[in-house]
């Protein structure tokens, strides 16, 4: 895609400007979200119009104006070209997700990771998704597994509203239970010792919530999919650092079944996943 963008812009930007273009952009449903480096901001409309023309499935081009931030993990967005809208329906692994990019979190960059987790779920499991957003992990699991129950929690009322809609859209009402609230409080009040598997897709704060994830496991046993953003220095391994971080917080025994870097999210900052088998 970035090659395509550079190709369509080759007559409109100088070679040095082309080199400054960020490598990628996201397409979510029929909306493209671009990051443009400061020196090229004056050309933002030219870049957006070129993208709109080049990718027929894109009807709106948005500029990301802030990093993903705050409790609900939202980003600032500005309409650059096409229809002035923020709501779309994204298709992933045969599931449909309706969402508003201004008021809910969603990234297609976790698509492979969601599938990796969903493929591990066995018949009969009870799962808690602590930070469910508009529902992509929960709904994919429910689509793939016949006998499963997923408690799907988010504290953003807008994400919860779209999650409810997406549960209906994907016809998984009997398997996915949407819950609006703080995951720690919901677990403490109603879901202690309930789950075989807990998913924690909030990398900025997963360590803080790890004791609650553990308390949600039935008889203190099961699997926790733990995500963390880890800064690592030269010669350091982000995966080892994540394991060390967990050891500072976990008062339970665990084995790391799988460890991987999901993606780089900044210079020397990796999003890692650890699948923990807890006993
Ligand atoms: C990084 S997003 C992940 C969303 C979703 N799992 C996905 O892959 O698209 C994290 C989500 O956690 C929610 N969140 C943040 N703090 C929370 C809390 N204490 N309890 C429940 N949800 C929370 C945010 O509103 C956001 O939707």
């Amino acid at each position: 895609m970035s090659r395509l963008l550079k190709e369509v812009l080759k007559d409109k930007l100088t070679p040095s400007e082309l080199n400054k273009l960020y490598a990628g952009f996201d397409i979510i449903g029929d909306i493209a979200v671009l990051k443009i480096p400061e020196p090229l901001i004056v050309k933002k409309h030219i870049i957006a119009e070129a993208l709109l023309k080049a990718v027929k499935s894109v009807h709106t081009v948005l500029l990301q104006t802030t990093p993903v931030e705050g409790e609900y993990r939202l980003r600032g967005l500005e309409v650059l070209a096409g229809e002035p809208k923020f709501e779309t329906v994204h298709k992933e692994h045969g599931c449909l997700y309706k969402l508003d990019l201004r008021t809910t979190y969603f990234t297609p960059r976790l698509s492979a990771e969601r599938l990796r987790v969903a493929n591990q779920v066995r018949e009969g499991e009870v799962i808690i998704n602590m930070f469910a957003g508009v529902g992509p992990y929960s709904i994919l699991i429910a689509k793939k597994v016949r006998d499963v129950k997923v408690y799907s929690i988010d504290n953003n009322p807008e994400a919860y509203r779209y999650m409810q809609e997406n549960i209906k859209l994907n016809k998984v009402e009997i398997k996915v239970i949407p819950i609006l609230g703080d995951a720690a409080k919901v677990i403490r009040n109603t879901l202690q010792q309930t789950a075989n598997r807990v998913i924690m897709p909030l990398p900025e704060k997963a360590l803080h919530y790890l004791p609650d994830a553990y308390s949600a496991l039935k008889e203190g046993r099961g699997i926790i999919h733990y995500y963390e953003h880890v800064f690592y220095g030269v010669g350091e391994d982000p995966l080892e650092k994540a394991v060390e971080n967990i050891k500072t917080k976990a008062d339970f025994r665990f084995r790391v079944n799988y460890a991987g870097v999901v993606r780089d999210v900044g210079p020397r900052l990796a999003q890692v996943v650890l699948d923990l088998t807890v006993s």
Side-chain angles (χ1 to χ4, degrees):
M1 276 297 185
S2 64
R3 210 178 309 142
L4 172 84
L5 190 57
K6 286 190 173 169
E7 182 61 32
V8 292
L9 284 165
K10 72 174 190 294
D11 299 329
K12 298 187 172 74
L13 300 182
T14 65
S16 121
E17 286 173 334
L18 282 174
N19 277 337
K20 288 193 189 99
L21 265 187
Y22 285 137
F25 53 88
D26 286 338
I27 294 184
I28 302 160
D30 64 349
I31 299 180
V33 180
L34 273 175
K35 285 186 200 166
I36 299 178
E38 196 46 46
L40 286 185
I41 278 294
V42 287
K43 303 271 175 84
K44 64 185 179 183
H45 292 291
I46 295 172
I47 297 169
E49 290 295 344
L51 178 58
L52 193 66
K53 218 163 130 194
V55 187
K56 291 286 163 259
S57 62
V58 168
H59 297 140
T60 300
V61 181
L62 302 179
L63 173 69
Q64 181 170 336
T65 56
T66 70
V68 171
E69 57 196 3
E71 195 180 354
Y72 299 157
R73 312 308 300 146
L74 305 177
R75 54 193 157 177
L77 294 167
E78 172 191 329
V79 177
L80 288 184
E83 288 172 42
K85 62 169 191 167
F86 299 92
E87 188 180 76
T88 189
V89 178
H90 184 75
K91 193 169 181 184
E92 183 179 283
H93 307 308
C95 303
L96 295 173
Y97 304 119
K98 190 170 172 188
L99 54 110
D100 186 316
L101 287 163
R102 259 177 328 181
T103 59
T104 64
Y105 175 92
F106 186 84
T107 175
R109 297 181 187 215
L110 292 177
S111 162
E113 176 57 22
R114 291 192 266 264
L115 189 61
R116 190 189 71 79
V117 169
N119 280 338
Q120 294 178 34
V121 177
R122 297 285 160 258
E123 295 293 336
E125 282 193 16
V126 175
I127 297 170
I128 297 175
N129 182 356
M130 290 177 71
F131 311 109
V134 300
Y137 278 91
S138 309
I139 290 168
L140 178 60
I141 289 169
K143 277 278 191 194
K144 289 180 76 71
V145 185
R146 188 181 42 79
D147 175 19
V148 71
K149 186 181 260 187
V150 190
Y151 294 99
S152 199
I153 309 166
D154 205 283
N155 67 350
N156 173 356
E158 276 298 285
Y160 170 73
R161 188 171 68 78
Y162 279 105
M163 183 183 2
Q164 285 179 307
E165 208 171 326
N166 290 330
I167 288 168
K168 288 197 191 107
L169 199 60
N170 291 281
K171 301 187 174 56
V172 289
E173 291 97 323
I174 36 172
K175 301 185 197 175
V176 181
I177 298 129
I179 301 172
L180 174 63
D182 168 55
K185 286 193 189 139
V186 172
I187 288 174
R188 283 175 208 167
N189 294 337
T190 56
L191 295 175
Q192 295 274 302
Q193 302 253 344
T194 306
N196 309 104
R197 185 183 297 273
V198 177
I199 309 170
M200 305 187 74
L202 181 61
E204 301 77 11
K205 289 199 192 148
L207 192 60
H208 171 77
Y209 287 103
L210 191 58
D212 293 298
Y214 173 64
S215 75
L217 287 177
K218 206 171 179 175
E219 292 163 6
R221 274 201 286 267
I223 292 167
I224 298 176
H225 299 283
Y226 172 87
Y227 295 88
E228 191 182 330
H229 283 170
V230 182
F231 279 105
Y232 59 101
V234 178
E236 279 185 325
D237 178 354
L239 301 174
E240 278 173 20
K241 273 195 96 173
V243 175
E244 289 311 312
N245 290 344
I246 291 177
K247 283 183 185 160
T248 65
K249 193 85 177 177
D251 57 355
F252 52 83
R253 290 196 4 220
F254 67 90
R255 202 178 65 235
V256 180
N257 257 358
Y258 172 86
V261 173
V262 180
R263 56 184 178 146
D264 291 318
V265 282
R268 308 214 71 84
L269 180 62
Q271 179 172 349
V272 306
V273 59
L274 302 178
D275 295 350
L276 311 176
T277 298
V278 178
S279 58

